[in-house]
Amino acid sequence: MVAGVGMIPFCKPGASASYAVMGAQAARLALADARAGYESMQQAFVGYVHGDSTAGQRVLYDLGFTGIAIFNTRNGGASGSSALYLARQAIESGEADIALALGFEQVSHDVDITPAIRIVGTTGLEHMKRFGTPLATFANIRAKASRHAANNPLAVSRNIVTAEEVLADVPLWPGVVTRSMICPPACGAAAAVLCSEDYAKKHDLDARVWIAGQTMTSDTDPGDSAGYGTSRAAARKVYEQAGIGAEDVDVVELHDSLAHNELLGYESLGLCAEGEGRKLVDAGDNTYGGRYVVNPSGGLLARGHAFGATGLAQCFELVQQLRGHADKRQVAGARIALQHNVGIGGAAVVTMYRN
């Protein structure tokens, strides 16, 4: 059960409070949402990329010295989802009845995203050559992200941009990537409280949303650095665990570090067949009124990518959607949600939520 979630607004590098302050704020919000005190947490799992070796303890000691096991995990951009995965695993195994998953990130202005542009851009270029996908398709994805983020008060960027403006932006890789097609590095924090079904019943916690399937995969092909194969393998396992397929999903939060990654995600997650991502975009099947609503939060492209917090920010959005609490972003009748988070290098975490 996902008993509680919390998230603070993401902000630009250099404009945030310390990671200790941000992390504690998000944890308190999740605990308050779950109507549970920190003293009731039996284990905690903390994801981040930039921070001290025991940064999780530094953050959570502000909530109390309770002696629980606190695990720190660094898994690139999938660090937050890795913390979520470990918390779910602890509960499923019986090691804990209730646990906290927390992710945070505090970065400076000099974060180097060149490697990600090269890796994902190369995969996007291959898709363009193989399937004839035009650069305008990626521009449309970025424009869609801006429209979604305009309704998200927690997003870094809430300015609506058009596909034409995206195409006209500074070329970082001529013909392949413009500046607007990459996600903005961000600072922020998000958290979730997970518990067993029995614990939720005993303590009268919110049991409306639960994890129906979740898996983490790593690379099997050294040439698949962008995570397409790992994501596909993880999605297949989750669909098998949950007993439902991509066609049943209502709302998706997927890892769009570049606009190219979002299109690749459509295909690797089975939202469409390989090579048909362009058709999905052209048909409007990635937004409100279409087959799926993808990244209603604005995704990494507009909400921002606070590396360690991103996976739990995705969880926050999807739990709000399934509770019917997403305000102007609400996907009507949402019952099944899919989360996809990638750490280049590599890890892919895919999670299915139901209500």
Side-chain angles (χ1 to χ4, degrees), residues 21-43:
V21 170
M22 293 189 293
Q25 287 175 336
R28 288 190 175 98
L29 288 170
L31 291 166
D33 187 52
R35 303 192 311 278
Y38 180 64
E39 68 279 359
S40 68
M41 296 299 107
Q42 296 170 2
Q43 292 187 0

Side-chain angles (χ1 to χ4, degrees), residues 207-296:
R208 285 175 291 175
V209 179
W210 72 93
I211 294 175
Q214 185 182 54
T215 194
M216 179 191 296
T217 55
S218 59
D219 298 328
T220 57
D221 178 359
D224 180 31
S225 52
Y228 182 90
T230 54
S231 298
R232 181 172 56 186
R236 288 175 176 174
K237 289 180 181 179
V238 164
Y239 294 144
E240 183 177 348
Q241 289 173 1
I244 51 181
E247 65 278 3
D248 301 307
V249 172
D250 300 305
V251 58
V252 183
E253 281 283 317
L254 64 77
H255 196 92
D256 57 332
S257 55
L258 271 72
H260 309 59
N261 244 8
E262 178 161 328
L263 183 137
L264 294 169
Y266 301 155
E267 299 179 10
S268 64
L269 297 176
L271 305 184
C272 64
E274 186 177 23
E276 294 189 356
R278 176 188 180 182
K279 292 181 181 179
L280 188 145
V281 173
D282 290 346
D285 282 334
N286 60 351
T287 189
Y288 298 88
R291 186 173 180 183
Y292 308 101
V293 178
V294 178
N295 291 336

Side-chain angles (χ1 to χ4, degrees), residues 87-105:
R88 190 271 312 160
Q89 191 176 64
I91 291 167
E92 195 171 85
S93 70
E95 279 290 312
D97 296 312
I98 187 167
L100 175 69
L102 169 66
F104 53 78
E105 204 67 45

Side-chain angles (χ1 to χ4, degrees), residues 84-119:
L84 182 70
Y85 179 93
L86 292 170
R88 190 271 312 160
Q89 191 176 64
I91 291 167
E92 195 171 85
S93 70
E95 279 290 312
D97 296 312
I98 187 167
L100 175 69
L102 169 66
F104 53 78
E105 204 67 45
Q106 180 186 3
V107 294
S108 62
H109 291 284
D110 58 356
V111 176
D112 184 12
I113 59 174
T114 304
I117 295 173
R118 184 181 67 252
I119 291 169

Side-chain angles (χ1 to χ4, degrees), residues 10-11 13 47-50 73-82 102-108 110-113 116 183-189 255 257 300 303-314 341-344:
F10 281 13
C11 63
Y48 57 93
V49 174
H50 301 88
T73 177
R74 289 175 170 174
N75 228 359
S79 295
S81 284
S82 297
L102 169 66
F104 53 78
E105 204 67 45
Q106 180 186 3
V107 294
S108 62
D110 58 356
V111 176
D112 184 12
I113 59 174
C183 69
C187 302
H255 196 92
S257 55
L300 284 65
R303 181 199 61 236
H305 186 16
F307 309 120
T310 287
L312 284 154
Q314 292 175 322
N341 192 201
V342 172
I344 291 177

